Amino acid sequence: MLRAAILPLLAAALCALALPAAAAAQLRPARMLTAEAAQRAIAAADAEARTNGWNVSIAVVDQAGDLIAFLRRDGAHAGSVDIARGKARTAARFRRPTKSLDSSLMAGRLPILAFEGVTPVEGGVPITVGGEVVGAVGVSGATSAQDAQVAAAGAAAVKP
């Protein structure tokens, strides 16, 4: 009788032990951009912009394109705010610099304009750690090439 009562408990215990392994098979470890890392990216990008006298807006987003940190340098025009965020979001979600989309568009690939929420203008650079995109930096306010230079400085500041 005792044996019959123990069997269901033993079976339940074995299932409980197997569940973490099954759940682990459905998940992958992910690197996440911290607020500290985002601030480091902002500081490096700001230093690059300051050195060159460029009044820009700088946005840092996570891998989904959601804003983590932002800086609008004194003198940056109001329109640069949304553009910097758009460039960062695009670089994060497409996992590539926005220059690649800009180049495709300039080569005649006009359907890019139909992609919802895409800013296909140079100046967005992904932040990559260990081969994985963990976020991006977007910059606006100078020329597109200068924006990209500032964004690259910010992205390079994030180390594992």
Side-chain angles (χ1 to χ4, degrees), residues 4 27-29 34 36-37 58-59 63 69 81 86 90-92 107 114 130 137 144 147 150 156:
L27 304 174
R28 66 176 178 83
T34 64
E36 180 183 338
I58 305 162
Q63 71 274 18
V81 172
T90 300
V137 180
S144 291
D147 290 347
V150 173

mmCIF file with all atom_site columns, all heavy atoms in Angstrom, residues 4 27-29 34 36-37 58-59 63 69 81 86 90-92 107 114 130 137 144 147 150 156:
data_model
loop_
_atom_site.group_PDB
_atom_site.id
_atom_site.type_symbol
_atom_site.label_atom_id
_atom_site.label_alt_id
_atom_site.label_comp_id
_atom_site.label_asym_id
_atom_site.label_entity_id
_atom_site.label_seq_id
_atom_site.pdbx_PDB_ins_code
_atom_site.Cartn_x
_atom_site.Cartn_y
_atom_site.Cartn_z
_atom_site.occupancy
_atom_site.B_iso_or_equiv
_atom_site.pdbx_formal_charge
_atom_site.auth_seq_id
_atom_site.auth_comp_id
_atom_site.auth_asym_id
_atom_site.auth_atom_id
_atom_site.pdbx_PDB_model_num
ATOM 1   N N   . ALA A 1 4   ? 2.416  1.879  -3.384  1.00 0.00 ? 4   ALA A N   1
ATOM 2   C CA  . ALA A 1 4   ? 1.495  2.475  -4.348  1.00 0.00 ? 4   ALA A CA  1
ATOM 3   C C   . ALA A 1 4   ? 1.375  3.978  -4.133  1.00 0.00 ? 4   ALA A C   1
ATOM 4   O O   . ALA A 1 4   ? 1.214  4.738  -5.081  1.00 0.00 ? 4   ALA A O   1
ATOM 5   C CB  . ALA A 1 4   ? 0.131  1.812  -4.250  1.00 0.00 ? 4   ALA A CB  1
ATOM 6   N N   . LEU A 1 27  ? 15.371 28.011 -24.232 1.00 0.00 ? 27  LEU A N   1
ATOM 7   C CA  . LEU A 1 27  ? 15.897 29.350 -23.978 1.00 0.00 ? 27  LEU A CA  1
ATOM 8   C C   . LEU A 1 27  ? 17.354 29.419 -24.384 1.00 0.00 ? 27  LEU A C   1
ATOM 9   O O   . LEU A 1 27  ? 18.054 28.416 -24.422 1.00 0.00 ? 27  LEU A O   1
ATOM 10  C CB  . LEU A 1 27  ? 15.768 29.682 -22.489 1.00 0.00 ? 27  LEU A CB  1
ATOM 11  C CG  . LEU A 1 27  ? 14.362 29.586 -21.907 1.00 0.00 ? 27  LEU A CG  1
ATOM 12  C CD1 . LEU A 1 27  ? 14.409 29.791 -20.402 1.00 0.00 ? 27  LEU A CD1 1
ATOM 13  C CD2 . LEU A 1 27  ? 13.448 30.628 -22.549 1.00 0.00 ? 27  LEU A CD2 1
ATOM 14  N N   . ARG A 1 28  ? 17.826 30.622 -24.645 1.00 0.00 ? 28  ARG A N   1
ATOM 15  C CA  . ARG A 1 28  ? 19.238 30.818 -24.891 1.00 0.00 ? 28  ARG A CA  1
ATOM 16  C C   . ARG A 1 28  ? 19.716 31.970 -24.017 1.00 0.00 ? 28  ARG A C   1
ATOM 17  O O   . ARG A 1 28  ? 18.955 32.907 -23.758 1.00 0.00 ? 28  ARG A O   1
ATOM 18  C CB  . ARG A 1 28  ? 19.527 31.097 -26.357 1.00 0.00 ? 28  ARG A CB  1
ATOM 19  C CG  . ARG A 1 28  ? 18.977 32.403 -26.865 1.00 0.00 ? 28  ARG A CG  1
ATOM 20  C CD  . ARG A 1 28  ? 19.397 32.629 -28.315 1.00 0.00 ? 28  ARG A CD  1
ATOM 21  N NE  . ARG A 1 28  ? 18.840 33.848 -28.821 1.00 0.00 ? 28  ARG A NE  1
ATOM 22  C CZ  . ARG A 1 28  ? 19.363 35.065 -28.641 1.00 0.00 ? 28  ARG A CZ  1
ATOM 23  N NH1 . ARG A 1 28  ? 20.483 35.207 -27.979 1.00 0.00 ? 28  ARG A NH1 1
ATOM 24  N NH2 . ARG A 1 28  ? 18.779 36.130 -29.123 1.00 0.00 ? 28  ARG A NH2 1
ATOM 25  N N   . PRO A 1 29  ? 20.944 31.882 -23.570 1.00 0.00 ? 29  PRO A N   1
ATOM 26  C CA  . PRO A 1 29  ? 21.458 33.002 -22.775 1.00 0.00 ? 29  PRO A CA  1
ATOM 27  C C   . PRO A 1 29  ? 21.614 34.230 -23.670 1.00 0.00 ? 29  PRO A C   1
ATOM 28  O O   . PRO A 1 29  ? 22.011 34.103 -24.822 1.00 0.00 ? 29  PRO A O   1
ATOM 29  C CB  . PRO A 1 29  ? 22.813 32.501 -22.275 1.00 0.00 ? 29  PRO A CB  1
ATOM 30  C CG  . PRO A 1 29  ? 23.174 31.366 -23.173 1.00 0.00 ? 29  PRO A CG  1
ATOM 31  C CD  . PRO A 1 29  ? 21.905 30.819 -23.734 1.00 0.00 ? 29  PRO A CD  1
ATOM 32  N N   . THR A 1 34  ? 23.608 47.204 -20.372 1.00 0.00 ? 34  THR A N   1
ATOM 33  C CA  . THR A 1 34  ? 23.250 47.820 -19.094 1.00 0.00 ? 34  THR A CA  1
ATOM 34  C C   . THR A 1 34  ? 23.174 49.339 -19.239 1.00 0.00 ? 34  THR A C   1
ATOM 35  O O   . THR A 1 34  ? 23.704 49.905 -20.204 1.00 0.00 ? 34  THR A O   1
ATOM 36  C CB  . THR A 1 34  ? 24.293 47.479 -18.011 1.00 0.00 ? 34  THR A CB  1
ATOM 37  O OG1 . THR A 1 34  ? 25.556 48.058 -18.386 1.00 0.00 ? 34  THR A OG1 1
ATOM 38  C CG2 . THR A 1 34  ? 24.434 45.973 -17.829 1.00 0.00 ? 34  THR A CG2 1
ATOM 39  N N   . GLU A 1 36  ? 24.791 51.340 -17.398 1.00 0.00 ? 36  GLU A N   1
ATOM 40  C CA  . GLU A 1 36  ? 26.180 51.800 -17.273 1.00 0.00 ? 36  GLU A CA  1
ATOM 41  C C   . GLU A 1 36  ? 26.891 51.758 -18.623 1.00 0.00 ? 36  GLU A C   1
ATOM 42  O O   . GLU A 1 36  ? 27.599 52.695 -19.000 1.00 0.00 ? 36  GLU A O   1
ATOM 43  C CB  . GLU A 1 36  ? 26.936 50.934 -16.264 1.00 0.00 ? 36  GLU A CB  1
ATOM 44  C CG  . GLU A 1 36  ? 28.388 51.341 -16.080 1.00 0.00 ? 36  GLU A CG  1
ATOM 45  C CD  . GLU A 1 36  ? 29.130 50.418 -15.131 1.00 0.00 ? 36  GLU A CD  1
ATOM 46  O OE1 . GLU A 1 36  ? 28.492 49.738 -14.305 1.00 0.00 ? 36  GLU A OE1 1
ATOM 47  O OE2 . GLU A 1 36  ? 30.364 50.377 -15.227 1.00 0.00 ? 36  GLU A OE2 1
ATOM 48  N N   . ALA A 1 37  ? 26.695 50.685 -19.368 1.00 0.00 ? 37  ALA A N   1
ATOM 49  C CA  . ALA A 1 37  ? 27.316 50.567 -20.693 1.00 0.00 ? 37  ALA A CA  1
ATOM 50  C C   . ALA A 1 37  ? 26.752 51.620 -21.644 1.00 0.00 ? 37  ALA A C   1
ATOM 51  O O   . ALA A 1 37  ? 27.490 52.210 -22.446 1.00 0.00 ? 37  ALA A O   1
ATOM 52  C CB  . ALA A 1 37  ? 27.102 49.171 -21.253 1.00 0.00 ? 37  ALA A CB  1
ATOM 53  N N   . ILE A 1 58  ? 22.453 62.107 -29.506 1.00 0.00 ? 58  ILE A N   1
ATOM 54  C CA  . ILE A 1 58  ? 23.002 60.759 -29.436 1.00 0.00 ? 58  ILE A CA  1
ATOM 55  C C   . ILE A 1 58  ? 22.009 59.875 -28.690 1.00 0.00 ? 58  ILE A C   1
ATOM 56  O O   . ILE A 1 58  ? 21.619 60.190 -27.562 1.00 0.00 ? 58  ILE A O   1
ATOM 57  C CB  . ILE A 1 58  ? 24.352 60.750 -28.687 1.00 0.00 ? 58  ILE A CB  1
ATOM 58  C CG1 . ILE A 1 58  ? 25.331 61.736 -29.323 1.00 0.00 ? 58  ILE A CG1 1
ATOM 59  C CG2 . ILE A 1 58  ? 24.937 59.336 -28.620 1.00 0.00 ? 58  ILE A CG2 1
ATOM 60  C CD1 . ILE A 1 58  ? 26.506 62.119 -28.423 1.00 0.00 ? 58  ILE A CD1 1
ATOM 61  N N   . ALA A 1 59  ? 21.612 58.782 -29.326 1.00 0.00 ? 59  ALA A N   1
ATOM 62  C CA  . ALA A 1 59  ? 20.679 57.838 -28.711 1.00 0.00 ? 59  ALA A CA  1
ATOM 63  C C   . ALA A 1 59  ? 21.345 56.471 -28.602 1.00 0.00 ? 59  ALA A C   1
ATOM 64  O O   . ALA A 1 59  ? 22.031 56.032 -29.523 1.00 0.00 ? 59  ALA A O   1
ATOM 65  C CB  . ALA A 1 59  ? 19.414 57.717 -29.549 1.00 0.00 ? 59  ALA A CB  1
ATOM 66  N N   . GLN A 1 63  ? 18.800 45.870 -27.777 1.00 0.00 ? 63  GLN A N   1
ATOM 67  C CA  . GLN A 1 63  ? 18.725 45.068 -28.996 1.00 0.00 ? 63  GLN A CA  1
ATOM 68  C C   . GLN A 1 63  ? 17.347 45.125 -29.665 1.00 0.00 ? 63  GLN A C   1
ATOM 69  O O   . GLN A 1 63  ? 17.229 44.871 -30.861 1.00 0.00 ? 63  GLN A O   1
ATOM 70  C CB  . GLN A 1 63  ? 19.146 43.613 -28.746 1.00 0.00 ? 63  GLN A CB  1
ATOM 71  C CG  . GLN A 1 63  ? 18.173 42.800 -27.929 1.00 0.00 ? 63  GLN A CG  1
ATOM 72  C CD  . GLN A 1 63  ? 18.374 42.936 -26.433 1.00 0.00 ? 63  GLN A CD  1
ATOM 73  O OE1 . GLN A 1 63  ? 19.015 43.856 -25.943 1.00 0.00 ? 63  GLN A OE1 1
ATOM 74  N NE2 . GLN A 1 63  ? 17.811 42.020 -25.680 1.00 0.00 ? 63  GLN A NE2 1
ATOM 75  N N   . ALA A 1 69  ? 19.517 55.380 -23.229 1.00 0.00 ? 69  ALA A N   1
ATOM 76  C CA  . ALA A 1 69  ? 20.183 56.629 -22.850 1.00 0.00 ? 69  ALA A CA  1
ATOM 77  C C   . ALA A 1 69  ? 20.119 57.601 -24.028 1.00 0.00 ? 69  ALA A C   1
ATOM 78  O O   . ALA A 1 69  ? 20.076 57.190 -25.189 1.00 0.00 ? 69  ALA A O   1
ATOM 79  C CB  . ALA A 1 69  ? 21.628 56.368 -22.458 1.00 0.00 ? 69  ALA A CB  1
ATOM 80  N N   . VAL A 1 81  ? 16.663 64.910 -32.649 1.00 0.00 ? 81  VAL A N   1
ATOM 81  C CA  . VAL A 1 81  ? 16.251 64.018 -31.558 1.00 0.00 ? 81  VAL A CA  1
ATOM 82  C C   . VAL A 1 81  ? 15.599 62.751 -32.103 1.00 0.00 ? 81  VAL A C   1
ATOM 83  O O   . VAL A 1 81  ? 16.047 61.633 -31.832 1.00 0.00 ? 81  VAL A O   1
ATOM 84  C CB  . VAL A 1 81  ? 15.294 64.749 -30.580 1.00 0.00 ? 81  VAL A CB  1
ATOM 85  C CG1 . VAL A 1 81  ? 14.720 63.786 -29.560 1.00 0.00 ? 81  VAL A CG1 1
ATOM 86  C CG2 . VAL A 1 81  ? 16.012 65.910 -29.902 1.00 0.00 ? 81  VAL A CG2 1
ATOM 87  N N   . GLY A 1 86  ? 15.725 57.102 -34.324 1.00 0.00 ? 86  GLY A N   1
ATOM 88  C CA  . GLY A 1 86  ? 15.378 56.248 -35.459 1.00 0.00 ? 86  GLY A CA  1
ATOM 89  C C   . GLY A 1 86  ? 16.572 55.507 -36.018 1.00 0.00 ? 86  GLY A C   1
ATOM 90  O O   . GLY A 1 86  ? 16.497 54.320 -36.362 1.00 0.00 ? 86  GLY A O   1
ATOM 91  N N   . THR A 1 90  ? 16.938 51.449 -35.906 1.00 0.00 ? 90  THR A N   1
ATOM 92  C CA  . THR A 1 90  ? 17.137 50.725 -37.161 1.00 0.00 ? 90  THR A CA  1
ATOM 93  C C   . THR A 1 90  ? 18.397 49.869 -37.109 1.00 0.00 ? 90  THR A C   1
ATOM 94  O O   . THR A 1 90  ? 18.378 48.700 -37.504 1.00 0.00 ? 90  THR A O   1
ATOM 95  C CB  . THR A 1 90  ? 17.197 51.714 -38.346 1.00 0.00 ? 90  THR A CB  1
ATOM 96  O OG1 . THR A 1 90  ? 15.962 52.440 -38.398 1.00 0.00 ? 90  THR A OG1 1
ATOM 97  C CG2 . THR A 1 90  ? 17.432 51.005 -39.659 1.00 0.00 ? 90  THR A CG2 1
ATOM 98  N N   . ALA A 1 91  ? 19.498 50.428 -36.611 1.00 0.00 ? 91  ALA A N   1
ATOM 99  C CA  . ALA A 1 91  ? 20.751 49.667 -36.522 1.00 0.00 ? 91  ALA A CA  1
ATOM 100 C C   . ALA A 1 91  ? 20.605 48.458 -35.604 1.00 0.00 ? 91  ALA A C   1
ATOM 101 O O   . ALA A 1 91  ? 21.133 47.378 -35.895 1.00 0.00 ? 91  ALA A O   1
ATOM 102 C CB  . ALA A 1 91  ? 21.883 50.569 -36.037 1.00 0.00 ? 91  ALA A CB  1
ATOM 103 N N   . ALA A 1 92  ? 19.885 48.624 -34.515 1.00 0.00 ? 92  ALA A N   1
ATOM 104 C CA  . ALA A 1 92  ? 19.692 47.510 -33.573 1.00 0.00 ? 92  ALA A CA  1
ATOM 105 C C   . ALA A 1 92  ? 18.809 46.425 -34.175 1.00 0.00 ? 92  ALA A C   1
ATOM 106 O O   . ALA A 1 92  ? 19.141 45.240 -34.117 1.00 0.00 ? 92  ALA A O   1
ATOM 107 C CB  . ALA A 1 92  ? 19.081 48.020 -32.265 1.00 0.00 ? 92  ALA A CB  1
ATOM 108 N N   . ALA A 1 107 ? 21.159 52.990 -54.210 1.00 0.00 ? 107 ALA A N   1
ATOM 109 C CA  . ALA A 1 107 ? 21.361 52.136 -55.379 1.00 0.00 ? 107 ALA A CA  1
ATOM 110 C C   . ALA A 1 107 ? 20.041 51.806 -56.071 1.00 0.00 ? 107 ALA A C   1
ATOM 111 O O   . ALA A 1 107 ? 20.027 51.052 -57.043 1.00 0.00 ? 107 ALA A O   1
ATOM 112 C CB  . ALA A 1 107 ? 22.083 50.856 -54.968 1.00 0.00 ? 107 ALA A CB  1
ATOM 113 N N   . ALA A 1 114 ? 9.309  51.390 -47.570 1.00 0.00 ? 114 ALA A N   1
ATOM 114 C CA  . ALA A 1 114 ? 8.053  50.828 -47.075 1.00 0.00 ? 114 ALA A CA  1
ATOM 115 C C   . ALA A 1 114 ? 8.209  50.097 -45.753 1.00 0.00 ? 114 ALA A C   1
ATOM 116 O O   . ALA A 1 114 ? 7.215  49.756 -45.117 1.00 0.00 ? 114 ALA A O   1
ATOM 117 C CB  . ALA A 1 114 ? 7.467  49.867 -48.117 1.00 0.00 ? 114 ALA A CB  1
ATOM 118 N N   . GLY A 1 130 ? 30.809 39.943 -28.433 1.00 0.00 ? 130 GLY A N   1
ATOM 119 C CA  . GLY A 1 130 ? 30.911 38.509 -28.662 1.00 0.00 ? 130 GLY A CA  1
ATOM 120 C C   . GLY A 1 130 ? 30.123 38.047 -29.874 1.00 0.00 ? 130 GLY A C   1
ATOM 121 O O   . GLY A 1 130 ? 29.556 36.963 -29.867 1.00 0.00 ? 130 GLY A O   1
ATOM 122 N N   . VAL A 1 137 ? 23.911 52.612 -31.340 1.00 0.00 ? 137 VAL A N   1
ATOM 123 C CA  . VAL A 1 137 ? 24.044 54.050 -31.124 1.00 0.00 ? 137 VAL A CA  1
ATOM 124 C C   . VAL A 1 137 ? 23.585 54.739 -32.395 1.00 0.00 ? 137 VAL A C   1
ATOM 125 O O   . VAL A 1 137 ? 23.985 54.355 -33.499 1.00 0.00 ? 137 VAL A O   1
ATOM 126 C CB  . VAL A 1 137 ? 25.509 54.443 -30.820 1.00 0.00 ? 137 VAL A CB  1
ATOM 127 C CG1 . VAL A 1 137 ? 25.620 55.947 -30.596 1.00 0.00 ? 137 VAL A CG1 1
ATOM 128 C CG2 . VAL A 1 137 ? 26.047 53.679 -29.625 1.00 0.00 ? 137 VAL A CG2 1
ATOM 129 N N   . SER A 1 144 ? 25.878 62.978 -42.449 1.00 0.00 ? 144 SER A N   1
ATOM 130 C CA  . SER A 1 144 ? 25.657 61.562 -42.174 1.00 0.00 ? 144 SER A CA  1
ATOM 131 C C   . SER A 1 144 ? 26.966 60.843 -41.847 1.00 0.00 ? 144 SER A C   1
ATOM 132 O O   . SER A 1 144 ? 27.011 60.026 -40.931 1.00 0.00 ? 144 SER A O   1
ATOM 133 C CB  . SER A 1 144 ? 24.970 60.887 -43.360 1.00 0.00 ? 144 SER A CB  1
ATOM 134 O OG  . SER A 1 144 ? 23.649 61.353 -43.481 1.00 0.00 ? 144 SER A OG  1
ATOM 135 N N   . ASP A 1 147 ? 27.947 61.849 -38.380 1.00 0.00 ? 147 ASP A N   1
ATOM 136 C CA  . ASP A 1 147 ? 27.074 61.158 -37.434 1.00 0.00 ? 147 ASP A CA  1
ATOM 137 C C   . ASP A 1 147 ? 27.566 59.729 -37.219 1.00 0.00 ? 147 ASP A C   1
ATOM 138 O O   . ASP A 1 147 ? 27.635 59.248 -36.084 1.00 0.00 ? 147 ASP A O   1
ATOM 139 C CB  . ASP A 1 147 ? 25.630 61.118 -37.951 1.00 0.00 ? 147 ASP A CB  1
ATOM 140 C CG  . ASP A 1 147 ? 24.943 62.472 -37.956 1.00 0.00 ? 147 ASP A CG  1
ATOM 141 O OD1 . ASP A 1 147 ? 25.463 63.431 -37.349 1.00 0.00 ? 147 ASP A OD1 1
ATOM 142 O OD2 . ASP A 1 147 ? 23.866 62.557 -38.590 1.00 0.00 ? 147 ASP A OD2 1
ATOM 143 N N   . VAL A 1 150 ? 30.686 59.555 -35.009 1.00 0.00 ? 150 VAL A N   1
ATOM 144 C CA  . VAL A 1 150 ? 30.348 59.731 -33.594 1.00 0.00 ? 150 VAL A CA  1
ATOM 145 C C   . VAL A 1 150 ? 29.698 58.460 -33.047 1.00 0.00 ? 150 VAL A C   1
ATOM 146 O O   . VAL A 1 150 ? 30.036 57.985 -31.955 1.00 0.00 ? 150 VAL A O   1
ATOM 147 C CB  . VAL A 1 150 ? 29.425 60.958 -33.392 1.00 0.00 ? 150 VAL A CB  1
ATOM 148 C CG1 . VAL A 1 150 ? 28.935 61.047 -31.959 1.00 0.00 ? 150 VAL A CG1 1
ATOM 149 C CG2 . VAL A 1 150 ? 30.163 62.240 -33.779 1.00 0.00 ? 150 VAL A CG2 1
ATOM 150 N N   . ALA A 1 156 ? 32.030 51.578 -29.954 1.00 0.00 ? 156 ALA A N   1
ATOM 151 C CA  . ALA A 1 156 ? 33.334 50.978 -29.619 1.00 0.00 ? 156 ALA A CA  1
ATOM 152 C C   . ALA A 1 156 ? 33.638 51.044 -28.124 1.00 0.00 ? 156 ALA A C   1
ATOM 153 O O   . ALA A 1 156 ? 34.476 50.279 -27.637 1.00 0.00 ? 156 ALA A O   1
ATOM 154 C CB  . ALA A 1 156 ? 34.437 51.663 -30.419 1.00 0.00 ? 156 ALA A CB  1
#
